[in-house]
Amino acid sequence: MRAQSSATTASPIAVSAPRESRGLGTVQAALGVVAFSLTFPSTAWGLESFGPWSLVAVRGVLAALVAGGCLLALRVRLPARRHLAGLAVVAAGVVLGFPMLTTLALQTSTTAHAAVVVGLLPLTTAVFSALRTGARPSRRFWLAAVAGAAAVLAFTVAQSGGALTAADAYLFGALLVCAAGYTEGGRLARVMPGWQVIGWALVLCLPLTLPASVLALSYEPVHLSAHGVAGLLWVALGSQFLGLLVWYRGMAAIGIPRASQLQLAQPLLTLVWSALLLGEHFTAAAPLTAVAVLVCIAVTQRS
């Protein structure tokens, strides 16, 4: 009787734990999306004080120092050799490639136009995930993902006047490298804590970002302002470290394709922040697009 009672009381825990893990993973991935939605407005602020190369290099150095300090304080062992290639992909995609390409794009593009990248990122990440990890989402998942990406793309292009700019090459390049970095980081987050994935990726880039920051600061003018410093601190600590930390933990818990679809809401959040922080304006189509995106997210979450 005691054994039967113990088994009976233990079974709900065993069944509910995966649901609790998925729920927490969804919350973590959503927090990552909120952090990422501030990246473009913060970058625009940072460009008020720093040149594009200085901004990217210094943000990498600051984030690497924080991450390295955490790794040292907790005495985390060096990553296994078999994980170095994956960490290199994360470093090239989300630490170097995406920040550099989007910062160059934002020199001549508005944040609304740059949100096109974020609108296509969930679909691209799902494709990379299927190719890299062997994941095979359902047909309904893909239809909802494509519909959501199309809705966000149409909205963001309309907000920018429908004109293609020279910055598009940077934006679509950033889309590809970021999707690769997200996919590889989500895979690694299943075998090591998510904060260690981005932490080691940042540290691996330090031999490049540190001399690059010194060189860039010596050539590009710096005009410090409250906006510029705040933008730099957010992209370094909020987007580059804390945002990726919770994002990778979320992807490890709920899967890369499902987590990537939460990013369908990111362009709309970016437009809201752009209006509040940069004074940009958008049309009345925003609430309609928001409803369409939420429906697509609901479908992908149930698929």
Side-chain angles (χ1 to χ4, degrees):
M1 289 293 293
R2 290 180 181 178
Q4 184 177 359
S5 176
S6 298
T8 302
T9 56
S11 60
I13 299 176
V15 172
S16 62
R19 293 182 179 178
E20 293 174 359
S21 177
R22 289 195 297 269
L24 179 60
T26 301
V27 171
Q28 290 173 329
L31 289 175
V33 170
V34 173
F36 299 153
S37 69
L38 280 161
T39 300
F40 288 165
S42 299
T43 300
W45 270 9
L47 288 172
E48 295 180 12
S49 296
F50 302 92
W53 298 95
S54 300
L55 181 61
V56 173
V58 173
R59 72 182 273 184
V61 170
L62 292 177
L65 291 177
V66 174
C70 292
L71 292 169
L72 285 175
L74 297 176
R75 299 181 179 180
V76 178
R77 293 182 178 181
L78 292 173
R81 182 175 299 179
R82 66 181 182 276
H83 298 322
L84 292 180
L87 289 172
V89 174
V90 176
V94 303
V95 177
L96 297 177
F98 187 79
M100 187 71 259
L101 292 171
T102 53
T103 300
L104 290 173
L106 285 172
Q107 287 190 292
T108 57
S109 173
T110 65
T111 56
H113 188 80
V116 172
V117 170
V118 182
L120 295 177
L121 189 54
L123 181 60
T124 309
T125 303
V127 173
F128 270 75
S129 173
L131 295 175
R132 179 68 178 87
T133 67
R136 293 294 182 268
S138 66
R139 181 177 299 179
R140 185 173 65 171
F141 177 97
W142 286 113
L143 290 175
V146 171
V152 172
L153 179 60
F155 177 68
T156 51
V157 169
Q159 289 300 301
S160 63
L164 296 178
T165 67
D168 288 329
Y170 292 132
L171 294 174
F172 286 110
L175 168 69
L176 296 177
V177 298
C178 189
Y182 278 175
T183 300
E184 201 63 25
R187 186 185 68 83
L188 288 173
R190 295 182 177 182
V191 296
M192 67 173 68
W195 75 272
Q196 292 184 22
V197 174
I198 184 57
W200 287 120
L202 287 165
V203 171
L204 284 176
C205 290
L206 194 57
L208 295 176
T209 55
L210 185 58
S213 63
V214 174
L215 184 63
L217 288 172
S218 65
Y219 280 94
E220 293 180 334
V222 175
H223 305 287
L224 293 181
S225 66
H227 279 180
V229 173
L232 170 62
L233 291 177
W234 180 258
V235 294
L237 305 180
S239 302
Q240 193 90 69
F241 183 62
L242 295 177
L244 286 170
L245 185 156
V246 293
W247 174 245
Y248 282 141
R249 288 178 64 92
M251 280 200 296
I254 66 177
I256 298 172
R258 182 176 292 181
S260 69
Q261 300 316 303
L262 292 175
Q263 281 193 307
L264 287 170
Q266 186 173 327
L268 301 179
L269 289 174
T270 298
L271 291 173
V272 171
W273 294 125
S274 299
L276 294 176
L277 301 177
L278 304 176
E280 294 185 4
H281 300 281
F282 48 85
T283 67
L288 296 177
T289 308
V291 172
V293 168
L294 291 176
V295 170
C296 292
I297 291 177
V299 173
T300 57
Q301 293 296 299
R302 293 180 177 274
S303 300

